[in-house]
Amino acid sequence: MCSPAVYFSTRGRTREVSFRDAVLMGLATDGGLLLPGAFPAVQPLLERWRHLPYAALAREVMRPFIGDSLDERVLTALVERSYATFSHPDICPVVAVGPVHVVELFHGPTLAFKDVALQFLGNLFEHLLGESGAALNLLGATSGDTGSAAIAGVRGKANIQVFIMHPHGKVSPIQERQMTTVLDANVHNLAIQGTFDDGQRVLKAVFNDLPFKERYRLGAVNSVNWVRVLAQIVYYFYAAFRVQERTGCRQVQVCVPTGNFGDIFAGYVALRMGAPISRLILATNENDILARFFNTGVYSQGPVQQTTSPSMDIQVASNFERYLYYRVGAEPAAVCALMERFGTSGTLAVPGSDPDVAAGRGTTTETTAAIRRYYREYGYLLDPHTAVGVAVAERFLRRDEPMLCLATAHPAKFPAAIQAALGEDVARHPRIDGLLELPTRCTVLPATTAAVQEFVRQTLG
Ligand SMILES: *Cc1c(COP(=O)(O)O)cnc(C)c1O
């Protein structure tokens, strides 16, 4: 188990699988998460990599994790097609703003960073199904942005149906419409009567019902799917190179606004591979279970609070288990014991600390102040998720190590937060402005495993 293209489960009870099978499996069959057998050491390649345009870099970074599941020509075509839908020539441009550098990850079809992975995932699924002639039914739970990005990634694709649960009335009107205005026959929006965590709980339960999962050929689009993490590793390299070019610095710090620990786990892999990143700064809103964990060693579930950064209103981070695996010395038995404890008591504790990750929480007040200050002083409009990151990042600035902040969404997706911060409606995007006029389709369901399974059953027949 020493190849980056061979995958195992954090709980150690799933046989090793190829990249192709890992993608189709989503959550591991033992309830754990899949991880690559090794992190390739890429330091000798950095000098060549720093000159590559985004899509070419994506191919190089992902290559070792894919092995012979895709041939070179196919991988190149998938990557090119996935990033051709982005509206900026650099795909993920980096701009200097006041004391930080911002990498804009929101130039894809739904204006959030999740497009970076889900455009690729959609094309990859289509390719893998085309090879085998099989059908695949994707099931996801969203706090807002995952759903629309997943739908944009697979709408209209042959042999794929997509079912997306969102918490009824708890995503922004724009986020809701980015999903429900997609009327392709293979897209099914489910508004469930509960919170995002309820959706995630139902999702886990459906995937853990193995006979059901197999019978209905269910696949995952949530960041439990390894491809989501894999595609996101790329921009950590890309953006760190751009900041190095601009500043001449050896290493950068990277601040990541976090909910499910997916995006920041990609950063952790990049760091472990040898990207020029000194440390990661994890930023949460008031739903600060992850920030508390990194500051105290205790991972303890609290109630979900609604904030102005709804895509981070999460208390149980589905990707945390991937990190936990490394933190407990790569021992599946230790992961099992801790996750079991967390499942019954809502809390777990790990001794020690990790010098690679610092963490803080940005309150709604601080976030609003950051939006106002960056707009007034630097003429730059932060979306509320990015602003959580920037507010936290400012506490961790170092003189000789530039701070790179991930901009995870376009501000036009969250006009209410912008209006509240600035007193004016300056966050506009033509793609958003058109949404309110369009017809929608959506089904409201109770937040139960049975209701969702019944809907899938009836739809697929
Ligand atoms: C999903 C999302 C996040 C959180 O990403 P995770 O991978 O869940 O940590 C942050 N900001 C925006 C805009 C998002 O859509």
Side-chain angles (χ1 to χ4, degrees):
M1 193 179 69
C2 52
S3 161
V6 172
Y7 292 81
F8 66 95
S9 166
T10 49
R11 301 201 186 171
R13 298 175 191 146
T14 300
R15 72 187 161 79
E16 291 170 12
V17 295
S18 66
F19 171 76
R20 181 182 181 283
D21 291 344
V23 172
L24 294 172
M25 190 180 286
L27 198 66
T29 46
D30 61 3
L33 281 90
L34 294 168
L35 281 168
F39 296 135
V42 301
Q43 248 126 5
L45 304 173
L46 297 183
E47 279 319 305
R48 192 166 62 76
W49 281 9
R50 71 174 66 253
H51 302 291
L52 299 176
Y54 193 90
L57 180 66
R59 188 191 60 212
E60 297 285 311
V61 171
M62 295 200 271
R63 175 82 268 168
F65 294 100
I66 291 173
D68 47 17
S69 289
L70 297 176
D71 75 33
E72 198 63 40
R73 196 178 38 80
V74 169
L75 176 59
T76 302
L78 289 178
V79 165
E80 294 287 346
R81 188 163 358 123
S82 301
Y83 298 114
T85 57
F86 280 58
S87 60
H88 195 287
D90 295 345
I91 314 302
C92 301
V94 179
V95 293
V97 184
V100 302
H101 301 260
V102 172
V103 54
E104 297 181 342
L105 304 172
F106 52 69
H107 294 282
T110 70
L111 311 181
F113 84 95
K114 294 186 172 80
D115 289 323
V116 175
L118 284 161
Q119 286 291 301
F120 180 70
L121 180 137
N123 289 318
L124 176 62
F125 274 143
E126 185 181 49
H127 168 77
L128 295 176
L129 296 174
E131 272 186 336
S132 66
L136 182 66
N137 302 301
L138 298 172
L139 181 63
T142 187
S143 56
D145 293 327
T146 301
S148 53
I151 288 167
V154 302
R155 63 184 294 181
K157 289 208 187 317
N159 304 327
I160 303 180
Q161 302 281 323
V162 61
F163 299 84
I164 298 293
M165 296 179 260
H166 69 265
H168 188 39
K170 292 196 177 69
V171 300
S172 84
I174 287 173
Q175 288 178 315
E176 186 183 321
R177 284 183 170 259
Q178 281 190 304
M179 297 186 278
T180 59
T181 56
V182 179
L183 303 181
D184 298 65
N186 71 332
V187 173
H188 310 281
N189 280 293
L190 310 178
I192 60 155
Q193 296 163 312
T195 63
F196 169 66
D197 284 345
D198 291 326
Q200 208 157 15
R201 184 175 43 71
V202 169
L203 183 73
K204 278 218 167 192
V206 174
F207 278 125
N208 282 331
D209 181 345
L210 292 184
F212 187 87
K213 182 182 173 186
E214 271 166 37
R215 165 122 205 249
Y216 293 100
R217 302 192 56 89
L218 296 184
V221 290
N222 281 71
S223 51
V224 297
N225 195 310
W226 169 252
V227 186
R228 291 279 307 274
V229 173
L230 177 62
Q232 289 170 191
I233 297 170
V234 178
Y235 53 68
Y236 284 87
F237 282 94
Y238 184 81
F241 290 151
R242 300 293 82 78
V243 175
Q244 281 187 310
E245 270 162 22
R246 193 168 295 152
T247 63
C249 281
R250 213 170 55 78
Q251 286 196 309
V252 302
Q253 308 192 72
V254 187
C255 181
V256 189
T258 308
N260 260 321
F261 206 81
D263 199 3
I264 194 166
F265 185 73
Y268 179 76
V269 177
L271 186 150
R272 295 276 305 259
M273 288 168 73
I277 295 171
S278 59
R279 64 172 176 173
L280 299 163
I281 314 293
L282 177 150
T284 67
N285 61 26
E286 282 88 342
N287 298 287
D288 61 351
I289 178 170
L290 288 166
R292 281 185 284 118
F293 171 76
F294 281 94
N295 288 314
T296 68
V298 178
Y299 186 70
S300 154
Q301 193 178 353
V304 180
Q305 292 183 48
Q306 277 187 261
T307 72
T308 51
S309 45
S311 296
M312 294 156 55
D313 290 349
I314 292 167
Q315 281 287 343
V316 181
S318 59
N319 256 283
F320 179 67
E321 186 170 333
R322 286 196 160 110
Y323 171 79
L324 191 62
Y325 172 84
Y326 297 104
R327 185 64 183 270
V328 298
E331 275 299 332
V335 174
C336 288
L338 286 170
M339 291 315 293
E340 207 155 289
R341 190 162 319 149
F342 184 72
T344 51
S345 68
T347 181
L348 66 81
V350 176
S353 63
D354 184 345
D356 291 336
V357 186
R361 97 181 191 154
T363 63
T364 299
T365 310
E366 291 166 317
T367 301
T368 303
I371 293 173
R372 194 178 302 131
R373 199 154 38 79
Y374 273 66
Y375 188 64
R376 303 242 164 100
E377 289 182 22
Y378 311 119
Y380 191 85
L381 197 51
L382 301 166
D383 104 283
H385 304 79
T386 307
V388 169
V390 168
V392 171
E394 286 192 344
R395 295 176 215 150
F396 292 93
L397 296 176
R398 284 171 168 169
R399 243 195 53 222
D400 42 7
E401 259 175 22
M403 178 69 76
L404 173 67
C405 291
L406 269 48
T408 53
H410 191 285
K413 289 192 86 164
F414 303 96
I418 303 298
Q419 173 84 37
L422 302 178
E424 48 183 329
D425 181 19
V426 289
R428 303 306 284 263
H429 192 287
R431 222 176 293 155
I432 299 294
D433 287 340
L435 283 177
L436 295 174
E437 314 300 322
L438 298 174
T440 64
R441 194 179 75 230
C442 183
T443 305
V444 180
L445 287 180
T448 65
T449 308
V452 171
Q453 286 186 320
E454 184 54 29
F455 185 89
V456 170
R457 218 177 267 130
Q458 293 207 345
T459 307
L460 300 178

Short mmCIF file of all heavy atoms in Angstrom, two decimals, residues 87 106-109 111 410-413 426-435:
data_model
loop_
_atom_site.label_atom_id
_atom_site.label_comp_id
_atom_site.label_asym_id
_atom_site.label_seq_id
_atom_site.Cartn_x
_atom_site.Cartn_y
_atom_site.Cartn_z
N SER A 87 -14.73 31.34 -16.74
CA SER A 87 -14.81 32.58 -17.51
C SER A 87 -13.54 33.43 -17.40
O SER A 87 -13.46 34.47 -18.01
CB SER A 87 -16.03 33.39 -17.05
OG SER A 87 -15.90 33.69 -15.68
N PHE A 106 -13.85 31.42 -7.99
CA PHE A 106 -15.29 31.50 -8.29
C PHE A 106 -15.61 31.84 -9.74
O PHE A 106 -16.66 32.41 -10.02
CB PHE A 106 -15.96 32.50 -7.34
CG PHE A 106 -15.30 33.86 -7.31
CD1 PHE A 106 -15.36 34.71 -8.40
CD2 PHE A 106 -14.61 34.28 -6.17
CE1 PHE A 106 -14.75 35.97 -8.37
CE2 PHE A 106 -14.00 35.53 -6.13
CZ PHE A 106 -14.07 36.38 -7.23
N HIS A 107 -14.73 31.51 -10.66
CA HIS A 107 -15.01 31.86 -12.05
C HIS A 107 -15.66 30.73 -12.85
O HIS A 107 -15.77 30.80 -14.07
CB HIS A 107 -13.74 32.36 -12.73
CG HIS A 107 -13.25 33.67 -12.16
ND1 HIS A 107 -13.82 34.87 -12.49
CD2 HIS A 107 -12.29 33.95 -11.24
CE1 HIS A 107 -13.22 35.85 -11.81
NE2 HIS A 107 -12.29 35.31 -11.05
N GLY A 108 -16.11 29.68 -12.16
CA GLY A 108 -16.81 28.59 -12.82
C GLY A 108 -18.30 28.88 -12.99
O GLY A 108 -18.78 29.95 -12.62
N PRO A 109 -19.06 27.90 -13.55
CA PRO A 109 -20.46 28.12 -13.91
C PRO A 109 -21.37 28.56 -12.76
O PRO A 109 -22.30 29.31 -12.99
CB PRO A 109 -20.92 26.75 -14.43
CG PRO A 109 -19.67 26.02 -14.77
CD PRO A 109 -18.57 26.59 -13.94
N LEU A 111 -20.26 30.02 -9.84
CA LEU A 111 -19.62 31.12 -9.10
C LEU A 111 -19.17 30.75 -7.69
O LEU A 111 -19.14 31.60 -6.79
CB LEU A 111 -20.53 32.36 -9.05
CG LEU A 111 -21.14 32.83 -10.37
CD1 LEU A 111 -21.99 34.08 -10.15
CD2 LEU A 111 -20.07 33.10 -11.42
N HIS A 410 -18.28 34.06 -5.39
CA HIS A 410 -18.46 35.42 -5.90
C HIS A 410 -19.45 36.14 -4.98
O HIS A 410 -20.47 35.56 -4.60
CB HIS A 410 -19.00 35.35 -7.33
CG HIS A 410 -18.98 36.67 -8.04
ND1 HIS A 410 -19.89 37.67 -7.75
CD2 HIS A 410 -18.17 37.17 -9.00
CE1 HIS A 410 -19.62 38.72 -8.51
NE2 HIS A 410 -18.59 38.44 -9.28
N PRO A 411 -19.19 37.40 -4.63
CA PRO A 411 -20.07 38.11 -3.69
C PRO A 411 -21.52 38.23 -4.19
O PRO A 411 -22.44 38.32 -3.36
CB PRO A 411 -19.42 39.49 -3.55
CG PRO A 411 -18.41 39.59 -4.64
CD PRO A 411 -18.01 38.21 -5.00
N ALA A 412 -21.73 38.18 -5.49
CA ALA A 412 -23.10 38.32 -6.00
C ALA A 412 -24.00 37.16 -5.58
O ALA A 412 -25.22 37.26 -5.67
CB ALA A 412 -23.09 38.45 -7.52
N LYS A 413 -23.42 36.06 -5.08
CA LYS A 413 -24.24 34.95 -4.60
C LYS A 413 -24.87 35.29 -3.25
O LYS A 413 -25.81 34.62 -2.83
CB LYS A 413 -23.39 33.67 -4.43
CG LYS A 413 -22.97 33.05 -5.74
CD LYS A 413 -22.40 31.65 -5.55
CE LYS A 413 -23.48 30.60 -5.54
NZ LYS A 413 -22.95 29.23 -5.74
N VAL A 426 -24.10 46.35 -4.19
CA VAL A 426 -23.07 46.50 -5.23
C VAL A 426 -22.61 45.16 -5.79
O VAL A 426 -21.82 45.11 -6.73
CB VAL A 426 -21.84 47.26 -4.70
CG1 VAL A 426 -22.18 48.72 -4.48
CG2 VAL A 426 -21.31 46.63 -3.42
N ALA A 427 -23.08 44.06 -5.20
CA ALA A 427 -22.59 42.74 -5.63
C ALA A 427 -23.48 42.21 -6.73
O ALA A 427 -24.55 41.66 -6.46
CB ALA A 427 -22.57 41.79 -4.44
N ARG A 428 -23.09 42.39 -7.94
CA ARG A 428 -23.93 41.94 -9.04
C ARG A 428 -23.16 41.02 -9.97
O ARG A 428 -21.94 41.12 -10.12
CB ARG A 428 -24.42 43.15 -9.86
CG ARG A 428 -25.17 44.17 -9.04
CD ARG A 428 -26.31 43.53 -8.27
NE ARG A 428 -27.44 43.24 -9.13
CZ ARG A 428 -28.49 44.03 -9.25
NH1 ARG A 428 -28.57 45.14 -8.55
NH2 ARG A 428 -29.48 43.70 -10.06
N HIS A 429 -23.89 40.09 -10.59
CA HIS A 429 -23.33 39.26 -11.64
C HIS A 429 -24.47 38.93 -12.60
O HIS A 429 -25.55 38.53 -12.14
CB HIS A 429 -22.73 37.97 -11.05
CG HIS A 429 -21.88 37.22 -12.04
ND1 HIS A 429 -22.43 36.52 -13.09
CD2 HIS A 429 -20.54 37.09 -12.15
CE1 HIS A 429 -21.44 35.97 -13.81
NE2 HIS A 429 -20.28 36.30 -13.26
N PRO A 430 -24.26 39.09 -13.90
CA PRO A 430 -25.37 38.89 -14.84
C PRO A 430 -26.00 37.51 -14.74
O PRO A 430 -27.21 37.36 -14.89
CB PRO A 430 -24.71 39.10 -16.22
CG PRO A 430 -23.25 39.19 -15.99
CD PRO A 430 -23.02 39.53 -14.56
N ARG A 431 -25.20 36.49 -14.43
CA ARG A 431 -25.74 35.13 -14.35
C ARG A 431 -26.72 34.99 -13.16
O ARG A 431 -27.64 34.20 -13.19
CB ARG A 431 -24.58 34.14 -14.19
CG ARG A 431 -24.76 32.90 -15.05
CD ARG A 431 -23.54 32.01 -14.94
NE ARG A 431 -22.35 32.60 -15.53
CZ ARG A 431 -21.11 32.27 -15.16
NH1 ARG A 431 -20.90 31.37 -14.22
NH2 ARG A 431 -20.07 32.84 -15.74
N ILE A 432 -26.48 35.77 -12.11
CA ILE A 432 -27.35 35.75 -10.94
C ILE A 432 -28.61 36.57 -11.20
O ILE A 432 -29.72 36.17 -10.83
CB ILE A 432 -26.60 36.32 -9.71
CG1 ILE A 432 -25.36 35.48 -9.38
CG2 ILE A 432 -27.52 36.41 -8.51
CD1 ILE A 432 -25.63 34.09 -8.92
N ASP A 433 -28.42 37.72 -11.83
CA ASP A 433 -29.55 38.63 -12.04
C ASP A 433 -30.69 37.96 -12.80
O ASP A 433 -31.86 38.25 -12.57
CB ASP A 433 -29.09 39.89 -12.79
CG ASP A 433 -28.27 40.81 -11.90
OD1 ASP A 433 -28.38 40.67 -10.66
OD2 ASP A 433 -27.52 41.65 -12.42
N GLY A 434 -30.37 37.03 -13.72
CA GLY A 434 -31.42 36.40 -14.52
C GLY A 434 -32.24 35.35 -13.78
O GLY A 434 -33.34 34.99 -14.21
N LEU A 435 -31.73 34.86 -12.62
CA LEU A 435 -32.30 33.66 -12.00
C LEU A 435 -33.73 33.81 -11.50
O LEU A 435 -34.53 32.87 -11.55
CB LEU A 435 -31.46 33.23 -10.80
CG LEU A 435 -30.15 32.51 -11.08
CD1 LEU A 435 -29.44 32.25 -9.75
CD2 LEU A 435 -30.40 31.21 -11.81
#
